[in-house]
Amino acid sequence: QLQLQESGPGLVKPSETLSLTCTVSGGSISSSTYFWGWIRQPPGKGLEWIGTIYYSGSTDYNPSLKSRVTISVDTSKNQFSLKLSSVTAADTAVYYCARQVGGNESMDVWGQGTTVIVSS
Amino acid sequence: DIQMTQSPSSLSASVGDRVTITCRASQSIGSYLNWYQQKPGKAPKLLIYVASSLQSGVPSRFSGRGSGTDFTLTISSLQPEDFATYSCQQSYSTPYTFGPGTKVEIK
């Protein structure tokens, strides 16, 4: 059974870079059938797609965050990562990683989520 | 960006009730519409994909319909474990966008 687990600092200072890793277990991250995405949810608000990395290594980012986001994959560790630079309090959120199904891009497996607070 | 709206924003219902939630896209998205259930402090769970396909393991009381810009999620007989927030999401084009959610509460 595929599982995803986010990890990374829970507290980041303003203007610094938020870095999170999603570890995939129970399946290969290298499958061409699936893509890998990051989604966030600010406190009390709705879900926001951050970006997706495809099996080819290409990426797609939300234009609202594109200048600050980098998503990468490490197939040797079965992990993919998120970096968000120049964070502000508005980046405080629960960050989720998820598997997306190629062909319809639904998000069928999610990590449990990790809370990141931006504060000095 | 494609904007997603949902109605109602919240509803109160009793166990056994039939509940319908509506999702509307700001432009046609074909059938690229997914529904998620989220409980407090938990990750979203995929219920329905491409408008009407039931995700494996999801009870058959959940169903989805629609195409183009208008979609519905129906719970045929509400169960205690169904009290949660339901969100739609378009996967027609990036940036993928979610609706604001509909909170289903106990009456």
Side-chain angles (χ1 to χ4, degrees):
Chain A
Q1 176 184 350
L2 190 86
Q3 292 186 315
L4 281 65
Q5 178 69 58
E6 305 89 350
S7 59
L11 180 65
V12 181
K13 290 182 168 55
S15 80
E16 295 189 345
T17 296
L18 177 161
S19 296
L20 297 175
T21 296
C22 182
T23 300
V24 179
S25 58
S28 174
I29 201 170
S30 300
S31 169
S32 61
T33 307
Y34 301 106
F35 313 143
W36 308 94
W38 288 96
I39 303 95
R40 70 180 183 178
Q41 186 169 36
K45 296 188 177 180
L47 297 157
E48 178 183 32
W49 172 74
I50 298 170
T52 297
I53 188 162
Y54 303 94
Y55 67 90
S56 63
S58 63
T59 53
D60 213 344
Y61 300 136
N62 193 320
S64 68
L65 300 168
K66 187 172 184 176
S67 63
R68 300 192 290 132
V69 172
T70 303
I71 297 176
S72 58
V73 64
D74 186 336
T75 55
S76 66
K77 294 182 179 179
N78 229 32
Q79 295 175 335
F80 63 106
S81 299
L82 168 71
K83 291 189 185 300
L84 181 66
S85 64
S86 304
V87 297
T88 69
D91 295 309
T92 293
V94 177
Y95 285 76
Y96 296 100
C97 58
R99 186 179 78 171
Q100 292 181 246
V101 180
N104 64 58
E105 279 66 61
S106 61
M107 298 163 190
D108 70 333
V109 182
W110 293 66
Q112 65 184 28
T114 188
T115 298
V116 178
I117 296 172
V118 178
S119 175
S120 54
Chain B
D1 299 5
I2 298 174
Q3 307 303 315
M4 307 300 294
T5 57
Q6 287 182 234
S7 60
S9 57
S10 66
L11 64 90
S12 295
S14 300
V15 172
D17 284 353
R18 181 181 181 88
V19 168
T20 297
I21 298 167
T22 297
C23 175
R24 179 164 291 172
S26 60
Q27 66 185 72
S28 179
I29 58 171
S31 295
Y32 287 92
L33 190 284
N34 311 304
W35 288 99
Y36 299 87
Q37 175 195 66
Q38 189 175 22
K39 296 181 179 179
K42 300 295 186 182
K45 173 187 174 183
L46 179 65
L47 299 176
I48 301 285
Y49 61 97
V50 292
S52 60
S53 294
L54 191 67
Q55 174 67 0
S56 176
V58 173
S60 59
R61 62 180 179 274
F62 291 93
S63 64
R65 295 188 65 179
S67 66
T69 60
D70 294 321
F71 301 86
T72 58
L73 172 71
T74 298
I75 309 172
S76 61
S77 178
L78 200 64
Q79 298 302 299
E81 61 268 29
D82 300 337
F83 293 95
T85 296
Y86 294 85
S87 299
C88 59
Q89 177 238 341
Q90 64 82 16
S91 54
Y92 177 79
S93 66
T94 59
Y96 303 125
T97 46
F98 293 83
T102 294
K103 187 174 184 179
V104 177
E105 299 176 301
I106 301 173
K107 194 170 188 178

